[in-house]
Amino acid sequence: MAESLVAAEDEATAPLPPPPPTAAVAAESGNPETEVDGFRRRIDDLISQADELEKKVSEVVEFHANKKQTNNLKGNSVVRDKEKERPIGNGSSNNCVNNSGSNSNSKTQGDAGRKEAVCSKRMQELMRQFGTILRQITNHKWAWPFMDPVDVKGLKLHDYYEIIKKPMDFHTIQNRMETKDDYRYKNVREICADVRLIFTNAMTYNDEKNDIHQMAKTLLEKFEEKWLQLLPKVVEEVTCWSTCFTIGALCGQETRQKEEEAQVIVNMQSVQEANIARLARDTHTELNELNSLLEDLRKSVVQKCRKMSTEEKRKLGVGLSNLSPEDLNKALEIIAQDNPNFQSTAEEVDLDMDAQSESTLWRLKFFVKEALEQQAKNSATKADENSKRKKEICDALAKTAKKRNKKLSS
């Protein structure tokens, strides 16, 4: 398309002989070189936009390709996990056996106390690190709507409690972290669940186009990224506390931990999918806008072209008659775009060149020129293939005749 536009510019500014008195000139007065430079700059801008959109399209395609590959790997992993779960021997169908009696007898009360002290110290450090993450999130410029409980009465959100069953906010989380009674959080996983609840509540109640929804989605994504970085230490904390309990409790902790890790991944994927879906929608809109700009530019270039002569119209008609059926249908569609009454799909079409606008004629000329050049290339390629094939056949016949003559002479 860009080549066609540049060709149109050259046609518009090519030196011409003085026109006859009856000929009209479509080009406006002004410096032709300046107009051509302006067209070229617009083309360069459109090409740059197209390159950026191509990168976005590639990002969307790559995301879905990776997602498909990940789903295939998950399917294989599920099969392997099921094979691992098959019973190996009698009584081994349940790998988590409650041996609390034997374990408790083999450990002294002092060892248990020391282990609990170490675990408490680890949990305090983990709480401190999680508090840092919490401050980073709450200090974000978009965190202000989530700091305090939703003012349901003041904002007249009459259906809020019907939709949101468990309201949550950062002020409530902070109070629960600082309290000394049984209401205090027992571990960082409980805090993490409430932080997620803040953002999921906001995304549930507010429409996707609402600013609050978008702010919550962005902050949730940032929180999940930071939580994933802390997750290995969370696993260590679970392991530490699990050694203080029975093997059965340990199995339960590990199961919950695996479920939590899986939930984190699901949340991250949901956020990524939402972002990719938004990127795809925006890219589609931008592509439509780019097509519109390209069409406007094409019309501007064509309007600068001179009036087509009678001889050029005759040659254009000859060119149309030499088009392939597929290209001829495309040419008729070009005519129909500027002439709604033109029946491009009729079995017989009566085309009057003099009745067509200059814009349509020039568009047809550029299209026919490109189509015929492509047909010539295809014909040349096919002719070369046929020539090569004929040569191979002739060589094979000559070789066969030579062998036959050799046998006859012997």
Side-chain angles (χ1 to χ4, degrees):
M1 179 61 75
E3 294 176 357
S4 300
L5 293 172
V6 173
E9 298 164 14
D10 295 337
E11 287 283 352
T13 60
L16 301 172
T22 55
V25 180
E28 299 176 357
S29 61
N31 189 340
E33 293 183 0
T34 303
E35 291 178 349
V36 171
D37 290 340
F39 285 134
R40 291 186 186 277
R41 284 194 296 270
R42 290 174 65 182
I43 291 173
D44 290 339
D45 291 340
L46 292 177
I47 292 175
S48 299
Q49 293 182 40
D51 291 339
E52 292 298 322
L53 289 177
E54 185 177 5
K55 293 178 183 178
K56 293 181 180 180
V57 171
S58 299
E59 183 179 349
V60 174
V61 172
E62 183 179 0
F63 174 82
H64 287 290
N66 292 338
K67 181 181 177 182
K68 183 178 180 181
Q69 183 178 4
T70 302
N71 290 338
N72 292 337
L73 293 175
K74 284 182 179 179
N76 296 333
S77 177
V78 170
V79 173
R80 289 194 298 269
D81 291 343
K82 287 184 178 180
E83 291 178 353
K84 290 180 181 179
E85 291 174 359
R86 291 176 181 174
I88 299 176
N90 294 333
S92 61
S93 59
N94 186 358
N95 294 327
C96 296
V97 182
N98 188 348
N99 293 324
S100 58
S102 59
N103 286 343
S104 60
N105 292 332
S106 63
K107 295 180 181 180
T108 63
Q109 190 173 4
D111 290 338
R114 284 192 295 271
K115 283 183 175 293
E116 186 172 350
V118 172
C119 293
S120 296
K121 187 175 181 179
R122 283 188 177 183
M123 188 182 70
Q124 291 175 4
E125 176 62 19
L126 195 60
M127 285 283 194
R128 185 189 66 79
Q129 294 180 13
F130 189 86
T132 301
I133 294 176
L134 207 57
R135 283 192 297 274
Q136 292 174 350
I137 297 298
T138 54
N139 288 336
H140 193 277
K141 62 181 180 180
W142 288 349
W144 60 269
F146 316 108
M147 299 304 298
D148 297 308
V150 176
D151 185 7
V152 177
K153 292 183 178 179
L155 297 174
K156 298 180 180 180
L157 307 178
H158 306 295
D159 60 344
Y160 186 81
Y161 293 120
E162 296 178 4
I163 299 174
I164 304 302
K165 303 303 180 183
K166 185 180 178 183
M168 186 54 61
D169 61 275
F170 283 115
H171 185 74
T172 301
I173 291 177
Q174 192 65 36
N175 288 341
R176 188 173 174 186
M177 289 177 64
E178 295 174 355
T179 187
K180 302 296 183 181
D181 54 24
D182 294 340
Y183 186 64
R184 180 184 178 88
Y185 287 113
K186 296 179 177 61
N187 52 63
V188 293
R189 299 186 302 282
E190 292 182 351
I191 312 176
C192 175
D194 279 351
V195 172
R196 287 180 182 143
L197 185 61
I198 293 175
F199 300 129
T200 54
N201 282 349
M203 294 166 64
T204 300
Y205 187 79
N206 297 281
D207 184 77
E208 186 176 358
K209 296 181 180 179
N210 188 285
D211 289 342
I212 299 297
H213 183 106
Q214 295 300 326
M215 293 161 72
K217 181 186 292 186
T218 300
L219 291 178
L220 177 59
E221 183 177 2
K222 291 182 178 296
F223 173 74
E224 294 293 2
E225 290 175 356
K226 296 180 182 298
W227 172 251
L228 282 177
Q229 297 174 1
L230 189 64
L231 198 57
K233 294 184 179 180
V234 177
V235 174
E236 291 179 3
E237 182 215 9
V238 172
T239 304
C240 179
W241 281 105
S242 297
T243 55
C244 299
F245 302 101
T246 63
I247 294 178
L250 174 61
C251 293
Q253 291 277 8
E254 290 176 346
T255 301
R256 286 192 296 273
Q257 183 60 35
K258 289 181 179 180
E259 292 175 352
E260 182 177 345
E261 292 176 11
Q263 185 61 43
V264 171
I265 295 174
V266 168
N267 290 341
M268 285 294 296
Q269 288 177 343
S270 299
V271 173
Q272 290 176 350
E273 288 177 3
N275 290 337
I276 288 295
R278 184 172 64 253
L279 177 62
R281 290 193 300 270
D282 294 343
T283 303
H284 178 72
T285 302
E286 291 176 19
L287 280 172
N288 290 336
E289 293 175 353
L290 182 61
N291 286 333
S292 178
L293 292 173
L294 190 60
E295 180 66 16
D296 292 342
L297 178 58
R298 180 195 61 77
K299 291 180 180 179
S300 298
V301 171
V302 171
Q303 287 173 0
K304 297 294 181 180
C305 293
R306 57 179 172 78
K307 187 175 181 180
M308 190 174 289
S309 66
T310 303
E311 178 62 17
E312 286 175 316
K313 292 179 183 179
R314 186 191 66 79
K315 290 181 179 180
L316 178 57
V318 174
L320 287 169
S321 64
N322 291 329
L323 292 178
S324 66
E326 182 180 357
D327 287 334
L328 182 58
N329 288 333
K330 293 180 181 179
L332 296 177
E333 290 175 0
I334 292 176
I335 299 173
Q337 288 177 4
D338 290 337
N339 187 1
N341 296 326
F342 182 76
Q343 300 295 328
S344 61
T345 57
E347 294 183 2
E348 293 185 3
V349 176
D350 184 14
L351 181 59
D352 184 3
M353 289 295 184
D354 293 329
Q356 307 305 317
S357 65
E358 291 297 325
S359 173
T360 300
L361 291 175
W362 281 104
R363 289 184 64 192
L364 283 175
K365 180 176 180 177
F366 296 133
F367 174 78
V368 170
K369 181 181 177 182
E370 292 179 357
L372 291 178
E373 288 176 353
Q374 187 61 42
Q375 286 181 199
K377 290 180 182 179
N378 295 339
S379 298
T381 302
K382 189 174 182 181
D384 291 341
E385 292 177 353
N386 292 337
S387 177
K388 184 179 179 180
R389 180 59 178 163
K390 287 179 180 179
K391 187 176 183 303
E392 292 174 351
I393 293 173
C394 290
D395 291 342
L397 292 174
K399 189 175 181 180
T400 302
K402 186 177 180 180
K403 288 182 179 179
R404 186 183 298 111
N405 293 335
K406 187 176 181 180
K407 287 182 179 180
L408 293 175
S409 62
S410 62

